[in-house]
Amino acid sequence: MIDLKKLEVWFVTGSQHLYGDEILRQVAEHSQTIARALDTSAEIPVRVLFKPVVKTPDEIYRLCQSANNEENCIGIVAWMHTFSPAKMWIRGLQSLQKPMCHLHTQFNCNIPWAEIDMDFMNLNQSAHGDREFGFMVSRLRMNRKVVVGHWQDPQVHRRLNVWLRAAAARFDWQGARIARFGDNMRQVAVTEGDKVEAEMKFGYSVNGYGVGDLVKYVNEVSDIQTDKLIAEYDETYRLAASLRKGGSAHDSLREAARIEIGMRAFLESGGFKGFTDTFEDLHGLAQLPGIASQRLMAEGYGFGAEGDWKTAALVRAAKVMAAGLPGGNSFMEDYTYHFDPENRLVLGAHMLEICPSIAAGKPACEIHPLGIGGKADPVRLVFDVAGGPALNASLIDMGDRFRMLVNEVEAVAPVEKLPKLPVARVLWKPLPDMNTACAAWIYAGGAHHTVFSQNLTTEYFEDFAGMFGIELTVIDSKTELRQFKNELRWSEAVYS
């Protein structure tokens, strides 16, 4: 569903006519070599396209306009091979509407001590050419990422990879559509938000649809379609005996399959990239979509429970950023605590909807009572999650701005069996410790719904938030509560 190789970034090199045609020819050759190397690097997830060296204000402006208008261009990587007087860049940069990464590199890795002369110096001036360019970008107050190092350095490729994946997620949000089946859970604050401001700031739209609109698609599902999907369930998961053909709950499995097929058809017909539902608004559906929401998330759709459209959009962004990486990303909720002084833990789960992309082993397909919502028992996938570095991210509407909040965590394997807990679940230790992390999250106004990621780091969300100019607040191993509270106060001044 998500193919990042359909996207492209433009490799743009700045110079000027001062140095003569021979220097400019070498600049172009060097730039093409770097662009080709990045384009073929296993670390780079999108196409890297070389663009002719820009040498005048008009060339720069036309290039920026072309980048804005090219449908699959997600941004530009800029490099000043020689010295490109930065006043030339003003009009172009002011018009640029796509993200920019400043690659501070040079063609040669080492100084050729015995041969270096002024011809070499005139050609290889990135050390101060990039500073001239950097000043202008800062003077224009433009958000960008600066990556420093030789273009063949694997660390440079890694950092470009992070930025490019964030740029791909930003690109994916432009014009994206999030469907809300029903409204949000009644009286809940954090799932509310300004959808108009979100579309202005982020580019995606959120619109509500009656559950009856979805039910129409569910009712059109054929028995042949249902049988085919149930066979897929049987092959992919450990199917509970009661759900098998002839079992006491087989009809419930068929209903769950019909809901999944109908929901997928609705989303595909409308070109949606994410959706929400709520257990308080299921008129016409026999059960809350459980396995349907889980499997659609695994395919790349964003999801938010109880009408939480902000988290649905962020789940989608995480899916795009992580496309092709090992590990998974899921809608998540901090559910309950283990306050053992020797082993403090958070149990993350939800009523049903945790994405199987984060499962450790083969999920079980089971049916259990929900206890709320007044509907039939829903079918869901049940599994544990492997240990390892992870994070929780939340997008919050603070009224006057959006805040991105990230807490780095260490997921751990289950310390005990959970035979009576009929939902997918994960245990983690929040950094720097449970008391500090939970207090910091609450001080920051963090939501109880998050994106749990096994394969994205804080750097991805830092780059992503920077592309929209929104606040990023991080809770990690270095967080100290007094300093954290001061940073929140400073943010109030900066972003208000």
Side-chain angles (χ1 to χ4, degrees):
M1 182 178 178
I2 301 171
D3 182 6
L4 298 186
K5 281 298 182 184
K6 293 180 179 178
L7 307 177
E8 62 192 46
V9 67
W10 290 6
F11 190 80
V12 177
T13 306
S15 188
Q16 59 176 315
H17 285 294
L18 178 66
Y19 308 110
D21 291 342
E22 177 56 25
I23 290 291
L24 289 175
R25 184 188 62 78
Q26 293 180 72
V27 168
E29 289 177 356
H30 290 175
S31 299
Q32 287 176 297
T33 298
I34 295 174
R36 280 196 300 268
L38 295 177
D39 185 51
T40 57
S41 169
E43 283 281 354
I44 303 301
V46 305
R47 297 295 315 279
V48 180
L49 301 186
F50 164 80
K51 291 296 171 177
V53 177
V54 289
K55 307 166 291 297
T56 68
D58 287 343
E59 289 178 357
I60 293 167
Y61 178 75
R62 286 196 297 269
L63 181 134
C64 291
Q65 289 295 295
S66 296
N68 291 339
N69 295 326
E70 179 57 45
E71 183 178 2
N72 290 327
C73 175
I74 63 172
I76 68 173
V77 174
W79 171 48
M80 304 303 112
H81 189 307
T82 55
F83 192 85
S84 181
K87 285 179 66 178
M88 296 196 305
W89 287 84
I90 293 175
R91 189 162 64 112
L93 291 178
Q94 285 179 322
S95 73
L96 185 64
Q97 298 171 2
K98 294 192 175 178
M100 183 180 70
C101 177
H102 184 181
L103 177 58
H104 185 40
T105 190
Q106 64 184 25
F107 188 72
N108 57 298
C109 182
N110 301 318
I111 294 174
W113 304 107
E115 289 82 25
I116 187 170
D117 56 17
M118 284 311 300
D119 288 338
F120 182 93
M121 296 282 275
N122 282 335
L123 175 62
N124 299 282
Q125 299 186 57
S126 302
H128 75 294
D130 276 331
R131 282 171 166 76
E132 167 75 358
F133 179 72
F135 162 76
M136 184 50 65
V137 183
S138 295
R139 179 74 167 77
L140 292 170
R141 306 298 195 270
M142 288 181 63
N143 288 305
R144 83 285 201 188
K145 181 170 188 170
V146 179
V147 175
V148 180
H150 192 253
W151 55 274
Q152 292 176 311
D153 186 342
Q155 281 296 97
V156 167
H157 290 208
R158 187 198 65 78
R159 296 202 67 211
L160 285 173
N161 171 60
V162 171
W163 180 82
L164 288 165
R165 288 177 174 276
R170 177 201 172 275
F171 174 86
D172 183 75
W173 266 9
Q174 307 313 299
R177 304 178 68 201
I178 307 295
R180 297 177 79 208
F181 297 120
D183 206 342
N184 70 308
M185 182 179 173
R186 291 183 282 276
Q187 304 295 340
V188 177
V190 76
T191 56
E192 296 281 7
D194 189 335
K195 295 189 285 292
V196 174
E197 183 64 24
E199 187 166 355
M200 293 166 58
K201 175 65 75 173
F202 301 126
Y204 62 79
S205 64
V206 182
N207 291 290
Y209 296 85
V211 179
D213 295 330
L214 171 60
V215 171
K216 178 178 180 293
Y217 282 80
V218 174
N219 289 342
E220 291 173 352
V221 175
S222 69
D223 288 341
I224 294 175
Q225 290 174 294
T226 304
D227 291 340
K228 183 178 178 181
L229 184 55
I230 288 176
E232 184 178 331
Y233 290 166
D234 193 23
E235 181 180 347
T236 308
Y237 313 115
R238 292 181 286 114
L239 204 60
S242 64
L243 295 175
R244 295 187 177 279
K245 191 170 184 178
S248 60
H250 183 68
D251 286 345
S252 295
L253 183 66
R254 296 188 68 82
E255 189 63 34
R258 290 174 62 245
I259 291 173
E260 177 183 336
I261 295 165
M263 187 173 283
R264 182 180 289 103
F266 181 97
L267 296 172
E268 289 177 351
S269 69
F272 296 101
K273 292 181 176 178
F275 66 99
T276 72
D277 60 22
T278 174
F279 65 90
E280 288 184 327
D281 193 350
L282 295 172
H283 184 72
L285 291 178
Q287 56 183 266
L288 177 64
I291 190 172
S293 297
Q294 291 177 292
R295 284 169 50 85
L296 286 165
M297 251 192 295
E299 291 177 16
Y301 285 99
F303 171 78
E306 289 95 52
D308 188 353
W309 53 269
K310 297 186 297 299
T311 303
L314 194 58
V315 169
R316 170 64 184 188
K319 295 289 186 181
V320 174
M321 284 191 277
L325 299 178
N329 297 270
S330 178
F331 172 80
M332 187 58 68
E333 181 171 277
D334 297 59
Y335 225 98
T336 194
Y337 291 144
H338 185 60
F339 269 130
D340 180 352
E342 302 301 318
N343 189 28
R344 292 185 174 93
L345 297 168
V346 178
L347 175 62
H350 203 255
M351 295 182 296
L352 301 173
E353 309 97 341
I354 302 300
C355 180
S357 67
I358 66 172
K362 192 174 187 177
C365 183
E366 302 176 1
I367 183 169
H368 301 277
L370 185 60
I372 56 176
K375 288 288 184 176
D377 299 345
V379 176
R380 80 290 303 273
L381 300 175
V382 178
F383 53 84
D384 292 311
V385 177
L391 59 77
N392 284 302
S394 179
L395 184 63
I396 315 149
D397 187 341
M398 296 297 292
D400 59 351
R401 68 191 187 279
F402 289 97
R403 169 180 286 165
M404 185 82 75
L405 179 59
V406 173
N407 185 195
E408 297 178 1
V409 305
E410 184 70 26
V412 299
V415 294
E416 300 282 350
K417 298 291 185 182
L418 298 166
K420 295 184 178 182
L421 184 62
V423 293
R425 59 277 177 138
V426 56
L427 289 166
W428 67 75
K429 294 177 180 288
L431 300 179
D433 59 75
M434 188 156 165
N435 290 2
T436 300
C438 292
W441 190 273
I442 289 171
Y443 276 122
H448 59 280
H449 290 165
T450 63
V451 176
F452 175 84
S453 177
Q454 297 172 318
N455 49 24
L456 301 176
T457 64
T458 298
E459 186 179 1
Y460 289 87
F461 290 93
E462 179 182 11
D463 288 352
F464 189 62
M467 290 172 187
F468 296 104
I470 66 170
E471 176 186 4
L472 175 73
T473 305
V474 177
I475 306 167
D476 60 15
S477 61
K478 299 178 182 178
T479 297
E480 191 276 325
L481 208 51
R482 184 179 292 112
Q483 179 70 12
F484 184 82
K485 291 163 68 178
N486 280 333
E487 291 172 2
L488 292 178
R489 296 186 185 101
W490 300 336
S491 290
E492 286 293 331
V494 170
Y495 287 96
S496 296

